[in-house]
Amino acid sequence: MSRRSGSGSNGAASKAGVADEPSYDKQKDLLSSSTKGHFSLLKALHMADYITELNGFCGIMSVFSSLRYCLGDPADKANLYLALIFLPFGLFFDFMDGRVARWRKKSSMMGQELDSLADLISFGLAPACVAFSIGMRTTLDHILLAVFVLCGLTRLARFNVTASSGNIPKDASGKASYFEGTPIPTTLGLDALMAYWVSQGWVLDNVPLGVWFAGSALEVHPVALLFVVHGCLMCSKTLHVPKP
């Protein structure tokens, strides 16, 4: 989750001074309902916003790759690897959009919302789809994975609120000094773990730790609990992770 707005970008904007205001006002004008003309929305996007869209693109392509694996030959894991490979590229674009926004001294509420939505796809929905593809397919698995995605959704919404609230201590540049809860891109740790399982052939009927309560309504893969634990860490208010 790049620091494109809230306390971080507000601090950068205050340093830039009046020079930033025309670009921000221009975007608001282009997004207003009274604006006419073709492609006005595309014209309103900053360069950093287009990089954020690439983050979302990586997450969407990961989801599609997971679906293609489910529809194809289970022995052919190429689409599984593709689903996993897209996610680090999403992190790269997530990192770069914030850097570009600060470099160009342009930030906006739209950029903040785009960033959160792209992060939810790339680091919330896409990893859950990979987990489903590799074998976490029972009803209880689905519920646990849904809880994980909803935790990511809640964490991003909280970040958008607290980033501009002024309740979190800030450094000299105006950026918040720590994260409340683990940032959602840390789900790449789960992605790396699933990549290892795929490389070892531990998928479908061979998912680590097997199945509990097989054949019952409570049938579940215990490894799905890792996603719930990670979701709880993302939503934690007492866990403060220092920003790099």
Side-chain angles (χ1 to χ4, degrees):
M1 181 166 33
S2 58
R3 255 34 62 200
R4 294 185 49 187
S5 56
S7 57
S9 35
N10 287 344
S14 62
K15 284 190 171 184
V18 181
D20 289 347
E21 294 180 1
S23 63
Y24 180 68
D25 292 339
K26 179 181 178 182
Q27 184 179 68
K28 288 199 297 184
D29 290 341
L30 288 169
L31 291 173
S32 67
S33 58
S34 60
T35 301
K36 297 180 180 179
H38 300 296
F39 307 111
S40 59
L41 177 58
L42 296 180
K43 295 175 184 176
L45 297 179
H46 298 315
M47 181 185 295
D49 298 333
Y50 284 106
I51 297 175
T52 303
E53 299 278 6
L54 291 175
N55 174 13
F57 172 81
C58 290
I60 293 167
M61 292 304 295
S62 175
V63 171
F64 287 163
S65 296
S66 294
L67 295 175
R68 290 177 65 183
Y69 173 75
C70 292
L71 294 173
D73 181 3
D76 183 3
K77 299 183 179 65
N79 282 311
L80 265 184
Y81 282 115
L82 277 176
L84 290 161
I85 289 171
F86 274 115
L87 302 181
F89 283 101
L91 179 64
F92 170 76
F93 291 121
D94 185 47
F95 172 77
M96 288 303 298
D97 62 8
R99 293 293 295 270
V100 170
R102 289 189 291 273
W103 167 55
R104 292 176 60 85
K105 297 183 176 63
K106 290 184 178 180
S107 62
S108 66
M109 284 299 297
M110 184 168 182
Q112 174 181 332
E113 299 304 323
L114 277 175
D115 191 65
S116 292
L117 293 170
D119 283 354
L120 180 63
I121 297 171
S122 294
F123 310 122
L125 179 61
C129 288
V130 174
F132 174 89
S133 298
I134 67 174
M136 301 180 207
R137 302 182 181 182
T138 71
T139 300
L140 193 51
D141 288 340
H142 297 169
I143 294 173
L144 296 177
L145 293 175
V147 168
F148 161 73
V149 177
L150 292 175
C151 284
L153 175 65
T154 306
R155 191 255 182 275
L156 290 166
R158 182 183 66 185
F159 173 81
N160 286 349
V161 173
T162 59
S164 57
S165 67
N167 294 329
I168 298 178
K170 300 176 179 61
D171 59 20
S173 67
K175 292 172 58 177
S177 58
Y178 59 79
F179 296 107
E180 281 188 345
T182 55
I184 193 170
T186 55
T187 56
L188 283 178
L190 293 174
D191 300 332
L193 181 61
M194 290 189 290
Y196 177 71
W197 294 345
V198 173
S199 70
Q200 299 299 308
W202 299 342
V203 297
L204 301 178
D205 294 335
N206 299 314
V207 172
L209 301 183
V211 182
W212 290 356
F213 312 114
S216 72
L218 298 178
E219 183 177 358
V220 65
H221 291 85
V223 292
L225 293 171
L226 289 175
F227 287 82
V228 176
V229 171
H230 194 280
C232 293
L233 292 175
M234 287 192 292
C235 290
S236 172
K237 187 172 179 63
T238 57
L239 177 62
H240 294 168
V241 181
K243 287 190 175 183

